[in-house]
Structure formats: C-alpha cells, structure tokens
C-alpha cells in the first residue's frame, strides 16, 4: 500500500528536501565520493549515537541573516550605468552551556553594504546608517548582486565566532555553523549543518541507508571531492514525520582534518545536535531548524531595523547626490 506523508515544514519555506518527491533530492552531484572512510562500502549501516562519547561542555551556534533594502543605479560621467544593491546583514552567535543548561547571546553585529560594479560609487550615508561600498567584479548585473552579499556576511560570521570563543572553554567546545562550511573550514572544532538536501551525493547502494536511519542515528562518514568538499555524513533528528527523508540533515567538517578526526566529530554530532531539534508546533521548519538558531534568526532580523525607514533614508540620501 502506498504511504503518504506531509512535510512538517511550512510550505512558504519550501521543502526540507529539494526533490520531486519525498524520496529525497532530485539532482545528482558530480562530486567524486569516497564511501570507504569509516567502514567498507559493503558494510554501510545506520550508526547509533555513541554511549562513550561525552557531549561538549559548550556549544556555539552561529548564523547570519541578510535583507535587500533597496535597488540602486549609478550614472557615470561617460554615460554608462551600473546596478547597485543596498543590503543589511547581521551575524550572531549563541553560546549554550550544556552543563548549566543556559543559553545566551554571545555576540551579534550588524553591517550594511552597497554592492555595485560602479568604479566611482562611494559609501552612502542614509540618515544615521552608513552603507559601505563593496565593489564587485564583472558587469555587475542586478540579478547577481544579492549573491555578492554572502562573502561579507560569511566574513562577519567568522569574526564574531572567533570573538565569542575568545572567552575560552578550554577547547571542550563545538561550533555549529548553520549551512555549509565553505571558506569557514579553518575554524577549529567546527561542523557545517545543512538542513535542506538538494543533491544526491552517495551511490545508490549507500544512499538507501539514509531513509532507514532512526532518530539519533547517522550514516558512516564519507568524503566529497569537490572545491568546497570535505568529510560529511547524514543524521536523522528526533521529531521527524516519518517520511523517508524527513528530519534528515547533512553535516560536514573541514577536509583539512584526518579521517579519524572527522569520525570523532561525527560521533560528537550524534550526541549533541539532536538535543537542539525543534518541534513542529513551535517552528514551521521543524525539526531541522535548531531551536537556538531559530531564536538567533529572530533576534538578528530585529536588529536590521525597519526596512521602510531605511528605504526612505536611502531615497533621500541619493536624491541629494544628484
């Protein structure tokens, strides 16, 4: 008999998997994959959370948000024009002391940027807010400007993560980055947390293990040979709907680590990440949107300020420059 499942995520957020059905992601990755890292390929099976691994004393969770405040255009003296994007973005870190059961905002910072390929554009002072110019390469097509915000946002996340960790936890901590690691791979004791599955990475013989995972179980570690690749594994969170890929997240760590170090982080994630899983009655992206991350996102969006006020301030500021 055919079974049907309702994705727990609010449809306004898309789906917890980017595929044509609940069978998982629709597109396949071209990455070279090594599945013989932790166990031989033929011995792949769900792995239970280790009973001998101790959860870290402190867990840091970092995330960032961004918002497009206004689209702009510059008119150059030679008659050429360039598109511009005024954007606000913020990054923050939540520090969770597991021993004391306390979570607190360890740091948060807001930045504004004017992203454009214009060779003459300068910073824009919009009332009390300053948009620092970020010159981008290429033709500066308007459709490509939003993606340019990711670089400065990632840099801000790295800065604030390092600052939060300066408080010290004697190395007994774990940093969870919401999203792929990308160029944050140099951060120590750090994992990337990917909550939306868009591509098939595993061969069919190993991918069939993923839907069989029970809450708290993970797959063996595998290696992705891509530009941003590294060590990776899948984990199912508690509170999933029961659909084949419901509650499945992919976790990754730096390719600069040894296989043994990656396996240690995989075991650590198994005893740490599930405790932060959200509930469907509280979060429309449960269980993947971790509770501290959800609270941090709300806090950061509030820090960005009123978009209508900023849009008006930008309009006034640019009108004065003409």
């Amino acid at each position: 008999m055919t079974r049907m499942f309702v994705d727990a995520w609010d449809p306004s957020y898309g789906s917890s998997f980017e595929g044509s059905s609940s069978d998982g992601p629709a597109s396949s990755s071209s990455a070279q994959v090594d599945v013989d890292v932790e166990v031989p390929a033929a011995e792949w099976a769900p792995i239970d959370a280790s009973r001998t691994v101790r959860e870290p004393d402190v867990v840091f969770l970092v995330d960032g948000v961004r918002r497009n405040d206004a689209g702009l255009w510059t008119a150059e003296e030679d008659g050429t024009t360039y598109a511009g994007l005024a954007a606000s973005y913020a990054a923050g870190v939540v520090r969770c002391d597991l021993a004391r059961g306390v979570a607190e905002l360890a740091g948060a910072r807001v930045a504004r940027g004017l992203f454009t390929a214009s060779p003459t554009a300068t910073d824009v002072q919009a009332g009390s807010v300053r948009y620092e110019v970020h010159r981008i390469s290429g033709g500066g097509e308007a459709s490509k400007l939003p993606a340019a915000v990711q670089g400065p946002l990632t840099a801000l996340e790295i800065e604030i993560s390092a600052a939060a960790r300066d408080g010290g936890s004697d190395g007994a901590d774990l940093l969870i980055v919401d999203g792929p690691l990308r160029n944050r791979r140099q951060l120590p004791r750090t994992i990337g947390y990917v909550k939306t599955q868009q591509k098939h990475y595993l061969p069919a013989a190993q991918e069939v293990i993923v839907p069989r995972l029970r809450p708290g179980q993970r797959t063996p570690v595998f290696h992705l040979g891509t530009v941003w690749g590294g060590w990776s594994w899948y984990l199912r969170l508690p509170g999933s709907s029961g659909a084949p890929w419901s509650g499945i997240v992919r976790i990754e760590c730096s390719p600069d680590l040894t296989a043994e170090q990656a396996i240690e982080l995989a075991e650590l994630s198994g005893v740490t990440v599930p405790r932060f899983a959200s509930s469907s009655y509280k979060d429309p992206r449960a269980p993947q949107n971790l509770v501290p991350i959800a609270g941090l996102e709300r806090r950061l969006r509030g820090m960005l300020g009123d978009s209508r006020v900023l849009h008006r301030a930008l309009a006034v500021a640019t009108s004065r420059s003409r």
Side-chain angles (χ1 to χ4, degrees):
M1 179 181 295
T2 301
R3 295 184 298 165
M4 299 183 67
F5 301 90
V6 175
D7 193 349
W9 283 26
D10 185 314
S12 63
Y13 290 101
S15 176
S16 57
F17 43 81
E18 296 297 330
S20 58
S21 73
S22 60
D23 292 332
S27 61
S28 297
S29 170
S30 60
Q32 295 294 318
V33 181
D34 180 5
V35 297
D36 293 298
V37 175
E38 187 172 359
V39 298
E43 298 178 13
W44 264 52
I47 298 175
D48 292 318
S50 173
R51 296 184 178 181
T52 60
V53 174
R54 178 177 174 271
E55 64 186 16
D57 296 333
V58 174
V59 177
F60 293 97
L61 297 100
V62 60
D63 194 17
V65 299
R66 59 186 183 183
R67 185 186 67 206
N68 299 338
D69 292 337
L72 305 172
W73 290 90
T74 64
E76 310 295 320
E77 290 187 0
D78 62 2
T80 59
T81 61
Y82 292 91
L85 174 67
S88 295
Y89 51 98
V93 178
V94 176
R95 182 182 188 275
C96 298
D97 188 323
L98 302 188
R100 296 190 299 128
V102 176
E104 59 187 356
L105 183 66
R109 195 179 308 167
V110 176
R112 323 275 181 180
L114 171 60
F115 298 84
T116 181
S118 166
T120 63
T122 58
D123 296 356
V124 174
Q125 187 69 39
S128 61
V129 173
R130 190 174 191 83
Y131 288 82
E132 179 183 353
V133 67
H134 291 264
R135 202 102 45 204
I136 66 172
S137 58
E141 296 92 336
S143 61
K144 297 182 179 180
L145 294 178
V149 184
Q150 186 60 48
L153 175 55
T154 298
L156 190 61
E157 290 178 0
I158 293 173
E159 290 176 16
I160 205 160
S161 299
R165 274 178 150 176
D166 283 344
S169 57
D170 300 324
D173 67 2
L174 177 68
L175 176 64
I176 301 175
V177 173
D178 190 40
L181 281 181
R182 294 196 174 95
N183 56 354
R184 292 168 286 201
R185 61 177 63 184
Q186 77 279 13
L187 297 173
R189 303 180 306 282
T190 300
I191 57 176
Y193 177 84
V194 184
K195 55 179 173 275
T196 301
Q197 310 312 314
Q198 299 178 329
K199 291 183 178 295
H200 292 281
Y201 289 104
L202 296 172
Q206 284 72 45
E207 187 171 274
V208 297
I209 301 300
V210 180
R212 288 168 46 192
L213 296 176
R214 296 194 304 270
Q217 291 184 325
R218 66 173 177 87
T219 66
V221 172
F222 55 95
H223 186 268
L224 294 174
T226 63
V227 174
W228 295 113
W231 311 105
S232 191
W233 57 96
Y234 289 100
L235 171 71
R236 190 189 290 274
L237 299 178
S240 63
S241 68
W245 282 72
S246 173
I248 295 293
V249 297
R250 186 176 64 83
I251 302 178
E252 59 184 36
C253 62
S254 172
D256 299 332
L257 300 177
T258 64
E260 291 73 19
Q261 290 171 324
I263 293 170
E264 288 178 4
L265 279 176
E267 293 181 337
L268 191 61
S269 72
V271 299
T272 306
V273 175
R275 68 178 297 161
F276 297 116
S278 53
S279 302
S280 58
Y281 72 92
K282 291 182 178 180
D283 193 310
R285 288 177 288 173
Q288 289 99 315
N289 201 35
L290 302 181
V291 172
I293 292 294
L296 179 59
E297 287 177 342
R298 289 191 295 269
R299 181 72 173 270
L300 293 176
R301 289 195 179 97
M303 293 174 62
L304 293 182
D306 191 315
S307 60
R308 296 167 298 180
V309 172
L310 290 170
H311 190 280
R312 175 59 180 165
L314 283 164
V316 172
T318 54
S319 66
R320 291 172 178 169
S321 66
R322 295 195 289 269

